[in-house]
Amino acid sequence: MSTPVRFGPYGGRYVPETVIPALDELTAAYERLRGDPGFQAQLAELLKNFVGRPTPLYLAERLGARLGGPRVYLKREDLAHTGAHKINNTVGQLLLAVEMGKRRIIAETGAGQHGVATATSAALFGLPCAIYMGEKDIARQELNVVRMKLLGAEVIPVASGSRTLKDAMNDAIRDWVTNVSDTYYVIGSVAGPAPYPAIVRYFQSVIGHEAREQILAAENRFPTELIACVGGGSNAMGLFSAFLDEDVRLTGVEAAGEGLDTGKHGASIERGRRGVLHGSLSYVLQDAYGQILEAHSISAGLDYPGVGPEHSFLHDEGRVRYDSVTDREALNAFTLLSGVEGIIPALESAHAIAYLVKHADRFSRDDLVIVNLSGRGDKDVHQAARVLGMIS
Amino acid sequence: MSRLEQLFRERQKKSLLMPYITGGYPTVHECRHLLEAFIAGGADMIEMGVPFSDPLADGPVVQASTQKALDEGVTPDDVLAIAAGFSGRLPVVLLVYYNCVFAYGQERFAAAAAAAGVAGLIVPDLPVDEADEFINICRSRGLDPVLLVAPTSTAERIRMIAAQASGFIYCVSVAGVTGARTSLSDQLPDFLGRVRAVTSAPLAVGFGVSTPEQAAMVAEHADGVIIGSKLISMVADAGDIDIAVKAVESFLSQVNEVIK
């Protein structure tokens, strides 16, 4: 099976010529290894014994009762090693890197979850690793910065532009262009030039495959709706991918930040226009001249002015419905889930919970909902406590 | 024959001097002074960048200049206006990231560039595989779509690029982003040889050329020498536009002497 370069009009490879041969090389290696039983066995072993898969599908009865209706299951990606779904992709890509003979690993990170997952996977394979991270994110995700350093990675602060994920990705691409012969670039979302969106979707599709099996075992029917947060969109693509052909409602939740009309948000699909960012054509927050705008979200992982190209396609097709919740709504959900279920969610995942809370009246007792709890909230506790006035 | 093809074909020099400036840097007004210095210093062609918020093919020096220009409020229309003021004197080629072209509208941007007398467009993040529509639009407006080849380009890709090339081929001297380098790759002659083997198009070399000695070395093998980051550093370091203009003119004159 060939790897898609485009999803409808979206995707493509809008990067300097210098790295195009490396993208061809990556595509060839991925296509060869995906069908290789040895590779699949290695991947399965790592996902089971290193990552800790399968992650549970947990029936959140008290949350469901609080919402007065639906049966709500949480796909517990927060229980995966390193505390988020990001590790599914990084162990897979590290296996690719090793098979391709690459000697150095680089990545960008926003909230730090992908950086931690990449640093962890690089440590597992004994490869040196550099993580690009915006200065603004370094300040608000101190815990993850320390974790990456403990794992042996070099954390390179990025001071250009908005000093967040977008700029970290620019610098990671620049590093890759410069060191392309021996360096493997681990992209953390279903974004970037082809074949990355397809590769990341593939490694994250384990979320959807497990959830499908688990919900059928538990309920003997398909869910009525899946809900996942969308920054670049890898946890959502991972969950949705196993249900695209079923009669299941799919909802992606973007960051409305301080409100869609304030200009301070990360809702690329709802408020962006078609454009090219980081190597692919997709919906992008930009001004009339195509200058990329700063995104805003309380959650560093959703603070990104673009979105994976397949999401743009699924939006246009009407297959996935995209909505958004504000920083405040996400914080309320963060507090709610902590108190009601004993689960502190990542602020990113709290957006998916917040959507469910906000639209509780739309769900009936017959509804069966899976929310992707993409990560745990330890990294966000300090920031949330400050915003909530628990500490100064 | 296009204006760029003619420029290379009728040249009296070993290699053409092709300085780069970010359009509207440090300000629209001061940028015009710098372009005058380019001409006085012996430039054969002007390469001017359209400032973009996320220039991922550029190193820190060009990035800082595009940010400064954006902070000054410089738009693609401003850059086109600057180009229009010089295109009657020297060929002007614009370097523009694809999203700026896309947002403007490919047809509309090509029409505006042609109206400003621009000779060609370089889009560093639009590889030949993605460029069919863009290339056709440029040609229909009499613009040369200038394509890039890199040291990592395979023989097959060099052939693909050469088949679509017009004006000249922009040869990236090293794998990397723009920026001055203390030494150029000793593999440059070999790389240019691989490109020459499949095309008769003129070859210009950019990325990393920062001294007259390097320019002289490049001129032994290439038809054009592109200098960018070095000039922008000189402007940034000068702090004063009059000093910058003199320094740029003097530097370009030195380079021009050794690449003749």
Side-chain angles (χ1 to χ4, degrees):
Chain A
M1 204 175 93
S2 72
T3 309
V5 172
R6 288 190 182 269
F7 306 90
Y10 301 105
R13 304 194 299 180
Y14 300 91
V15 286
E17 168 66 20
T18 307
V19 296
I20 293 285
L23 293 172
D24 285 338
E25 183 195 2
L26 174 60
T27 303
Y30 167 65
E31 288 179 355
R32 176 170 56 81
L33 291 166
R34 201 176 45 173
D36 181 274
F39 179 84
Q40 287 299 339
Q42 263 182 298
L43 179 61
E45 161 72 18
L46 283 174
L47 289 177
K48 179 164 180 269
N49 292 321
F50 187 70
V51 176
R53 305 204 70 90
T55 59
L57 187 70
Y58 165 71
L59 176 60
E61 283 184 283
R62 279 167 46 84
L63 177 65
R66 180 67 74 96
L67 301 177
R71 285 173 77 74
V72 179
Y73 281 86
L74 304 178
K75 181 58 175 164
R76 297 292 307 274
E77 292 301 299
D78 60 318
L79 293 177
H81 182 38
T82 71
H85 72 291
K86 293 292 185 186
I87 190 89
N88 304 326
N89 169 48
T90 59
V91 294
Q93 288 205 48
L94 256 291
L95 274 177
L96 278 180
V98 169
E99 289 294 329
M100 291 170 72
K102 300 296 179 183
R103 302 303 310 157
R104 174 174 174 263
I105 301 299
I106 59 169
E108 81 293 336
T109 197
Q113 290 302 106
H114 175 59
V116 167
T118 303
T120 298
S121 305
L124 175 68
F125 288 96
L127 291 176
C129 173
I131 306 291
Y132 287 87
M133 187 168 188
E135 284 182 344
K136 186 174 164 189
D137 292 334
I138 286 178
R140 60 181 164 176
Q141 299 290 346
E142 197 184 357
L143 175 68
N144 276 342
V145 174
V146 175
R147 291 169 79 195
M148 286 185 272
K149 288 180 177 169
L150 275 174
L151 291 158
E154 180 189 3
V155 179
I156 302 176
V158 176
S160 58
S162 59
R163 298 177 297 128
T164 60
L165 177 57
K166 160 180 93 78
D167 310 284
M169 199 153 171
N170 286 337
D171 268 10
I173 293 173
R174 291 180 183 120
D175 181 318
W176 194 41
V177 171
T178 307
N179 302 295
V180 64
S181 62
D182 70 342
T183 296
Y184 185 98
Y185 176 25
V186 183
I187 290 185
S189 196
V190 286
Y196 280 104
I199 289 179
V200 177
R201 175 205 214 250
Y202 174 72
F203 287 129
Q204 291 296 0
S205 67
V206 66
I207 303 172
H209 292 310
E210 284 178 9
R212 183 182 165 115
E213 216 169 273
Q214 288 165 325
I215 196 74
L216 290 176
E219 299 280 346
N220 201 28
R221 61 175 173 134
F222 281 117
T224 43
E225 181 158 345
L226 307 179
I227 303 171
C229 66
V230 176
S234 71
N235 88 80
M237 243 8 274
L239 178 66
F240 295 169
S241 61
F243 297 89
L244 285 172
D245 298 331
E246 309 299 342
D247 183 20
V248 176
R249 201 179 147 100
L250 307 175
T251 302
V253 185
E254 296 190 299
E258 295 179 11
L260 290 182
D261 295 327
T262 65
K264 301 186 82 173
H265 59 78
S268 311
I269 290 181
E270 272 182 284
R271 289 300 169 97
R273 286 181 295 117
R274 283 186 188 182
V276 168
L277 175 64
H278 296 146
S280 58
L281 179 70
S282 196
Y283 283 99
V284 177
L285 299 178
Q286 57 185 317
D287 72 9
Y289 285 111
Q291 309 296 350
I292 309 303
L293 298 174
E294 282 188 30
H296 168 88
S297 172
I298 191 171
S299 128
L302 304 183
D303 197 346
Y304 182 62
V307 64
E310 192 171 6
H311 283 292
S312 293
F313 173 67
L314 292 169
H315 168 266
D316 286 9
E317 292 285 294
R319 179 62 191 94
V320 179
R321 190 168 163 275
Y322 294 85
D323 205 326
S324 57
V325 300
T326 63
D327 287 350
R328 175 53 60 183
E329 289 163 340
L331 261 178
N332 289 344
F334 176 85
T335 311
L336 175 73
L337 193 71
S338 301
V340 171
E341 291 289 350
I343 298 170
I344 302 175
L347 280 173
E348 289 79 7
S349 323
H351 282 71
I353 302 289
Y355 174 86
L356 181 64
V357 173
K358 188 176 178 179
H359 299 282
D361 57 359
R362 191 162 71 58
F363 295 94
S364 73
R365 287 189 178 282
D366 296 333
D367 280 325
L368 185 56
V369 178
I370 298 177
V371 178
N372 204 8
L373 204 71
S374 54
R376 71 174 183 230
D378 308 41
K379 70 186 175 60
D380 298 314
V381 164
H382 191 75
Q383 190 195 7
R386 248 185 308 125
V387 180
L388 294 169
M390 295 161 77
I391 55 171
S392 59
Chain B
M1 196 190 310
S2 77
R3 191 171 175 194
L4 292 178
E5 282 166 3
Q6 195 172 1
L7 175 73
F8 280 95
R9 190 163 303 182
E10 295 175 0
R11 73 178 190 268
Q12 307 288 322
K13 304 159 72 172
K14 194 156 57 184
S15 200
L16 297 182
L17 180 58
M18 305 161 72
Y20 167 91
I21 188 73
T22 298
Y25 174 79
T27 64
V28 168
H29 182 67
E30 291 169 331
C31 183
R32 291 197 171 97
H33 286 300
L34 290 168
L35 292 176
E36 290 293 349
F38 282 12
I39 294 172
D44 299 291
M45 192 199 90
I46 291 167
E47 186 191 350
M48 189 157 55
V50 175
F52 178 51
S53 55
D54 294 76
L56 53 75
D58 285 302
V61 171
V62 176
Q63 279 177 53
S65 72
T66 58
Q67 192 54 54
K68 168 80 167 66
L70 289 173
D71 291 345
E72 291 283 330
V74 173
T75 68
D77 292 322
D78 294 326
V79 178
L80 289 164
I82 298 170
F86 286 85
S87 60
R89 299 162 69 189
L90 282 188
V92 177
V93 170
L94 295 185
L95 182 139
V96 54
Y97 282 87
Y98 188 57
N99 201 49
C100 289
V101 178
F102 189 83
Y104 209 96
Q106 297 193 85
E107 287 278 2
R108 199 174 144 244
F109 190 86
V118 167
L121 298 177
I122 305 169
V123 185
D125 56 347
L126 191 70
V128 66
D129 331 54
E130 303 283 358
D132 281 353
E133 190 184 2
F134 176 77
I135 288 170
N136 288 334
I137 289 170
C138 283
R139 294 229 166 94
S140 74
R141 295 286 176 178
L143 297 166
D144 280 325
V146 175
L147 300 173
L148 296 95
V149 294
T152 51
S153 302
T154 58
E156 186 193 350
R157 291 194 60 79
I158 294 174
R159 269 193 298 275
M160 267 170 72
I161 292 162
Q164 295 290 334
S166 52
F168 62 94
I169 295 178
Y170 191 133
C171 301
V172 176
S173 69
V174 289
V177 293
T178 58
R181 286 171 176 81
T182 49
S183 65
L184 286 176
S185 168
D186 48 14
Q187 288 160 21
L188 185 64
D190 173 64
F191 165 49
L192 295 179
R194 286 196 290 130
V195 184
R196 290 252 190 248
V198 298
T199 182
S200 57
L203 308 185
V205 169
F207 285 39
V209 185
S210 61
T211 65
E213 293 72 32
Q214 288 173 335
M217 190 279 263
V218 168
E220 290 301 319
H221 306 279
D223 307 301
V225 180
I226 299 167
I227 302 178
S229 298
K230 170 67 179 178
L231 300 175
I232 290 170
S233 289
M234 292 173 74
V235 176
D237 294 346
D240 174 278
I241 191 63
D242 293 330
I243 297 172
V245 162
K246 287 199 184 88
V248 164
E249 183 188 328
S250 156
F251 176 80
L252 288 176
S253 298
Q254 286 175 50
V255 173
N256 200 33
E257 277 306 310
V258 299
I259 66 172
K260 272 182 177 170

